[in-house]
Amino acid sequence: MAFVAAAAGWLLRLRAAGAEGHWRRFHGVGLARGFLHPSATVEDAAQRRQVAHFTFQPDPEPREYGQTQKMNLFQSITSALDNSLAKDPTAVIFGEDVAFGGVFRCTVGLRDKYGKDRVFNTPLCEQGIVGFGIGIAVTGATAIAEIQFADYIFPAFDQIVNEAAKYRYRSGDLFNCGSLTIRSPWGCVGHGALYHSQSPEAFFAHCPGIKVVIPRSPFQAKGLLLSCIEDKNPCIFFEPKILYRAAAEQVPIEPYNIPLSQAEVIQEGSDVTLVAWGTQVHVIREVASMAKEKLGVSCEVIDLRTIIPWDVDTVCKNADPFSLGLYPTGKMKEETNNLY
Amino acid sequence: SSIMTAHCSLSLPGSSDPPTLASRVLVASRNFANDATFEIKKCDLHRLEEGPPVTTVLTREDGLKYYRMMQTVRRMELKADQLYKQKIIRGFCHLCDGQEACCVGLEAGINPTDHLITAYRAHGFTFTRGLSVREILAELTGRKGGCAKGKGGSMHMYAKNFYGGNGIVGAQVPLGAGIALACKYNGKDEVCLTLYGDGAANQGQIFEAYNMAALWKLPCIFICENNRYGMGTSVERAAASTDYYKRGDFIPGLRVDGMDILCVREATKFAAAYCRSGKGPILMELQTYRYHGHSMSDPGVSYRTREEIQEVRSKSDPIMLLKDRMVNSNLASVEELKEIDVEVRKEIEDAAQFATADPEPPLEELGYHIYSSDPPFEVRGANQWIKFKSVS
């Protein structure tokens, strides 16, 4: 009944708006919108905008790490941070508003559990936060810094690229800030516009000395974050904010690690290789099944997970580097030259 | 009495109906004062021998104008709150109700040819700098009648001599110093008001801007709108020194009661005169308060008590303060001000109607103004098969 009423309302509104209909607006603008998401659903005018045109697909329950619990992305982050602070007495968490739990609730309960000298707020100063974090890490303590949105990371760009990434190299391994991890909510969410939606991993992808990691799900996030924290190189961990609540699956309560610089083949295929990370993995999965259904194309789906240093071998194992648009350099180039 | 009210409203300054002889006689017989002198709070000074005056004259005309402007900002913000809850406005929305004395008072102290730049709590400034409520609400709802053609939204509104509307905290302050440099260079005696909040006061680039402005004696008025909370963090928990008017160190400063529009006006006139005389930058801290939370997704009561908000509302509300002053000094009657309220409400209603009914900008304009180039530049969309033209 409500469906009929809503449908009637929707049609009336379309006509009333003199509407071209919001579907027609997308014609001639490249890929038809309908290709990427299910056929027109009935929504009222205020929700016409498609915020998330993908469905999160949980992975099967992991059996090898002990007891699991249903957690969404922010809860799995909290769990990882909880494990870290429990294991490592030098670990501290800091950033804007982390004390009360954080604007995305990733640090809820940690200050009460571990004390205000281990989980504390900083003033509004990103460059200061990261610089300060590098300082902590250089003394050997584990620093977990939060930048409230990835869009705000740019004042800290100099500290990350010029200080953190090069510390070990320029001191000849005398000093390093390997125990620094920077966490930051990442990616578009529908209503974030210019400054709450950015995905800046590409800016960091050309900086040797740091690692950039982006998980696609709660289970991946906890394992990857724990690996970043324990990794002896400064790491940036971007958390897809649209998945904080939307993604929920069974996640082990005990700590576990997912190795960095290892891509994961989520789906085997023989015709085309699709590489994605973060939220896009779920979009690409849908694309792969649509391609199979409508075009008969068998797609291999790879979640890159670590953006730099990235897993060249897994990506190139089945792919013809030229058909992917990858131009081999260095050793890869030599090897492919020998092949052809 | 209602007849008298009707005649009174006909003769209000700024109204479009020409007053009849009868109504002029009626108003004259009501006998309002032409102006009144008020005492205002003395400002705390930093590196200044003298401050703004402690008394000021308010004319009836100015009083009514300020009242109308503050009431318009107030009602506009409340309407935005309503539209947001109805999901007609989406995204981010930072409201400034409670801080009306700041935007209206600052405007009263400067000329339209002066310049102003602020952060994201900018709807009030957009209005006082000259845009209509229609354009502002339509921009909030993302329609093509909006001042940024629907593409900017709450945080990105601009007008002549008003440089926004900026999302990144603190980033607008060096920009303000640059605008001040242009003012000095152009030699037209203009100043630039560069606003930021108590949270932003701890950003590094603000201090870089202080240094440059003082070194080169730029006509820049740095204004810290201290509403006691940087999002959810109170000033004591964020700043080693909460004397924001002293944070400019070598830059002289004054601390101003930001809830009293006359205090703000006098301080602004003082500061503008200081800058125009070529002495360099000056810093103003406006002590003010916002009734809403940081943004529409913040209820605003988890880091402060409802009692505190209520107390400010009942003791220091800027509109109430002005109204009481005017009524008690016979500059206006309660009925007259109520008439203004009714007119303002209607104006806001009409603007909200327009903002809800206006169409969204066409999708082809999504890529406009990314670059300026002739012929139009092609920009890639979310994937390489989606192309937008950047026409500018």
Side-chain angles (χ1 to χ4, degrees):
Chain A
M1 190 56 211
F3 177 93
V4 172
W10 180 69
L11 285 167
L12 277 170
R13 264 180 283 259
L14 267 188
R15 231 170 281 145
E20 304 238 287
H22 77 290
W23 301 117
R24 226 182 286 173
R25 287 164 83 201
F26 292 100
H27 280 194
V29 193
L31 215 55
R33 197 88 158 112
F35 188 74
L36 271 184
H37 63 86
S39 53
T41 52
V42 174
E43 304 158 296
D44 66 49
Q47 285 162 339
R48 244 189 323 196
R49 249 166 245 92
Q50 297 285 326
V51 173
H53 53 276
F54 68 94
T55 319
F56 169 73
Q57 300 199 28
D59 284 328
E61 182 180 345
R63 302 241 173 247
E64 60 271 48
Y65 300 112
Q67 197 193 351
T68 65
Q69 190 184 323
K70 184 141 190 217
M71 294 187 209
N72 59 29
L73 186 66
F74 73 74
Q75 288 163 338
S76 70
I77 303 286
T78 316
S79 177
L81 295 173
D82 193 353
N83 291 150
S84 291
L85 264 62
K87 270 196 305 184
D88 180 351
T90 71
V92 288
I93 300 176
F94 51 94
E96 291 158 26
D97 300 304
V98 298
F100 86 96
V103 288
F104 291 109
R105 296 167 59 189
C106 295
T107 48
V108 168
L110 296 177
R111 185 175 166 99
D112 291 335
K113 194 166 172 186
Y114 295 103
K116 59 182 168 57
D117 52 337
R118 293 185 71 190
V119 180
F120 54 91
N121 284 340
T122 58
L124 219 170
C125 45
E126 286 75 21
Q127 187 171 22
I129 291 169
V130 173
F132 173 81
I134 295 172
I136 295 181
V138 165
T139 67
T142 301
I144 306 170
E146 177 182 296
I147 298 290
Q148 197 162 81
F149 283 87
D151 315 54
Y152 309 157
I153 205 167
F154 301 111
F157 196 81
D158 173 68
Q159 284 287 345
I160 295 170
V161 167
N162 279 333
E163 304 299 321
K166 297 169 170 62
Y167 221 120
R168 189 189 291 276
Y169 185 87
R170 73 187 188 208
S171 66
D173 205 15
L174 196 62
F175 289 104
N176 70 79
C177 55
S179 53
L180 171 68
T181 304
I182 301 167
R183 304 176 27 246
S184 192
W186 167 102
C188 74
V189 73
H191 56 271
L194 294 166
Y195 301 120
H196 296 76
S197 313
Q198 290 179 39
S199 307
E201 67 275 17
F203 291 115
F204 298 98
H206 303 278
C207 178
I210 52 171
K211 296 194 177 182
V212 177
V213 178
I214 308 180
R216 69 168 185 275
S217 71
F219 170 73
Q220 295 286 320
K222 178 168 168 172
L224 289 168
L225 180 57
L226 283 167
S227 297
C228 283
I229 293 171
E230 287 156 27
D231 191 279
K232 296 194 188 342
N233 294 288
C235 296
I236 306 179
F237 187 77
F238 286 125
E239 301 161 3
K241 61 174 89 70
I242 200 174
L243 295 179
Y244 273 139
R245 278 187 224 252
E249 60 184 359
Q250 296 293 116
V251 179
I253 301 174
E254 292 302 307
Y256 60 97
N257 291 79
I258 294 180
L260 301 184
S261 294
Q262 245 188 48
E264 186 181 350
V265 179
I266 300 178
Q267 189 182 299
E268 302 267 348
S270 54
D271 297 331
V272 175
T273 304
L274 305 174
V275 182
W277 51 88
T279 318
Q280 277 297 97
V281 173
H282 305 290
V283 179
I284 283 286
R285 265 171 155 161
E286 285 180 24
V287 171
S289 56
M290 278 181 173
K292 181 83 189 174
E293 196 187 303
K294 301 196 181 182
L295 305 170
V297 172
S298 159
C299 299
E300 177 146 302
V301 178
I302 298 182
D303 177 5
L304 196 60
R305 301 198 294 197
T306 302
I307 310 303
I308 172 179
W310 62 286
D311 187 354
V312 183
D313 291 333
T314 304
V315 174
C316 295
K317 195 172 60 173
N318 293 332
D320 166 1
F322 292 101
S323 70
L324 264 186
L326 288 175
Y327 298 91
T329 54
K331 190 164 190 295
M332 260 306 298
K333 189 171 165 59
E334 205 192 295
E335 283 178 77
T336 48
N337 282 344
N338 291 339
L339 281 175
Y340 294 92
Chain B
S1 156
S2 59
I3 300 170
M4 191 189 312
T5 316
H7 281 272
C8 280
S9 70
L10 270 178
S11 61
L12 277 179
S15 103
S16 51
D17 297 328
T20 61
L21 190 59
S23 63
R24 273 204 214 112
V25 168
L26 267 165
V27 168
S29 71
R30 183 69 169 78
N31 238 346
F32 289 119
N34 218 10
D35 56 49
T37 308
F38 295 104
E39 274 178 22
I40 51 176
K41 209 160 128 188
K42 188 172 184 309
C43 296
D44 294 323
L45 302 174
H46 170 69
R47 285 189 193 265
L48 282 168
E49 292 301 317
E50 283 173 6
V54 292
T55 60
T56 180
V57 172
L58 175 66
T59 65
R60 178 177 141 82
E61 192 183 332
D62 279 344
L64 290 169
K65 184 175 80 175
Y66 301 154
Y67 182 84
R68 181 183 284 267
M69 284 173 85
M70 288 206 284
Q71 194 65 276
T72 308
V73 173
R74 173 68 60 91
R75 293 248 67 90
M76 180 177 72
E77 295 295 77
L78 294 177
K79 178 55 76 176
D81 171 282
Q82 201 182 28
L83 291 172
Y84 192 92
K85 287 176 176 148
Q86 293 173 318
K87 295 200 190 227
I88 300 173
I89 296 177
R90 312 199 65 187
F92 295 94
C93 194
H94 307 84
L95 301 176
C96 67
D97 52 318
Q99 298 183 203
E100 297 85 0
C102 294
C103 48
V104 179
L106 283 172
E107 191 62 35
I110 55 171
N111 307 323
T113 47
D114 289 320
H115 307 263
L116 197 149
I117 186 171
T118 183
Y120 44 76
R121 205 172 297 282
H123 308 159
F125 290 103
T126 317
F127 174 72
T128 55
R129 284 264 91 190
L131 291 192
S132 67
V133 181
R134 263 166 89 95
E135 289 173 285
I136 296 172
L137 286 180
E139 186 57 43
L140 286 175
T141 54
R143 308 303 164 95
K144 61 176 213 261
C147 52
K149 304 190 180 64
K151 282 168 61 176
S154 165
M155 288 200 270
H156 308 292
M157 299 187 184
Y158 301 82
K160 187 167 195 312
N161 294 341
F162 173 57
Y163 303 82
N166 297 286
I168 299 293
V169 171
Q172 75 278 9
V173 179
L175 262 74
I179 297 166
L181 179 78
C183 292
K184 182 168 176 170
Y185 189 92
N186 286 329
K188 287 194 246 169
D189 233 16
E190 292 161 4
V191 296
C192 180
L193 273 59
T194 304
L195 284 92
Y196 55 95
D198 47 279
N202 302 314
Q203 271 276 336
Q205 44 194 329
I206 308 239
F207 296 89
E208 293 179 14
Y210 288 161
N211 186 47
M212 286 191 280
L215 192 62
W216 300 323
K217 289 203 167 23
L218 305 179
C220 186
I221 308 177
F222 293 102
I223 300 172
C224 178
E225 257 183 308
N226 177 5
N227 58 20
R228 305 197 218 163
Y229 299 94
M231 208 158 81
T233 305
S234 67
V235 293
E236 305 81 46
R237 293 195 296 125
S241 160
T242 54
D243 291 332
Y244 293 102
Y245 71 111
K246 290 186 185 167
R247 294 276 284 269
D249 188 16
F250 36 78
I251 296 181
L254 33 141
R255 181 154 58 189
V256 181
D257 179 1
M259 303 302 268
D260 176 0
I261 189 187
L262 297 178
C263 209
V264 176
R265 181 182 75 169
E266 288 312 309
T268 311
K269 283 186 180 164
F270 175 85
Y274 182 94
C275 283
R276 282 189 234 277
S277 66
K279 297 198 191 102
I282 191 171
L283 215 162
M284 264 168 60
E285 177 189 340
L286 300 179
Q287 290 187 306
T288 183
Y289 199 84
R290 52 166 163 82
Y291 297 144
H292 269 85
H294 164 75
S295 71
M296 285 305 298
S297 30
D298 171 23
V301 288
S302 51
Y303 47 86
R304 51 186 194 172
T305 60
R306 286 186 206 273
E307 288 77 41
E308 181 189 289
I309 306 173
Q310 220 9 71
E311 196 187 337
V312 176
R313 240 191 234 278
S314 55
K315 296 213 182 103
S316 322
D317 184 280
I319 299 178
M320 177 193 79
L321 288 178
L322 180 66
K323 178 173 168 184
D324 288 347
R325 272 185 164 145
M326 287 183 68
V327 167
N328 294 340
S329 316
N330 201 26
L331 285 175
S333 70
V334 174
E335 294 82 25
E336 198 177 6
L337 297 178
K338 278 208 169 68
E339 269 292 312
I340 297 183
D341 290 351
V342 167
E343 284 169 18
V344 164
R345 256 182 229 264
K346 178 155 193 323
E347 185 189 343
I348 305 291
E349 266 315 311
D350 289 344
Q353 254 318 99
F354 171 72
T356 318
D358 203 35
E360 289 178 353
L363 195 65
E364 295 75 56
E365 289 187 17
L366 192 64
Y368 282 17
H369 311 301
I370 295 176
Y371 281 98
S372 169
S373 81
D374 183 19
F377 196 95
E378 220 166 46
V379 179
R380 183 197 125 126
N383 62 53
Q384 55 260 53
W385 300 284
I386 299 178
K387 295 246 192 287
F388 298 109
K389 273 203 168 47
S390 174
V391 172
S392 194

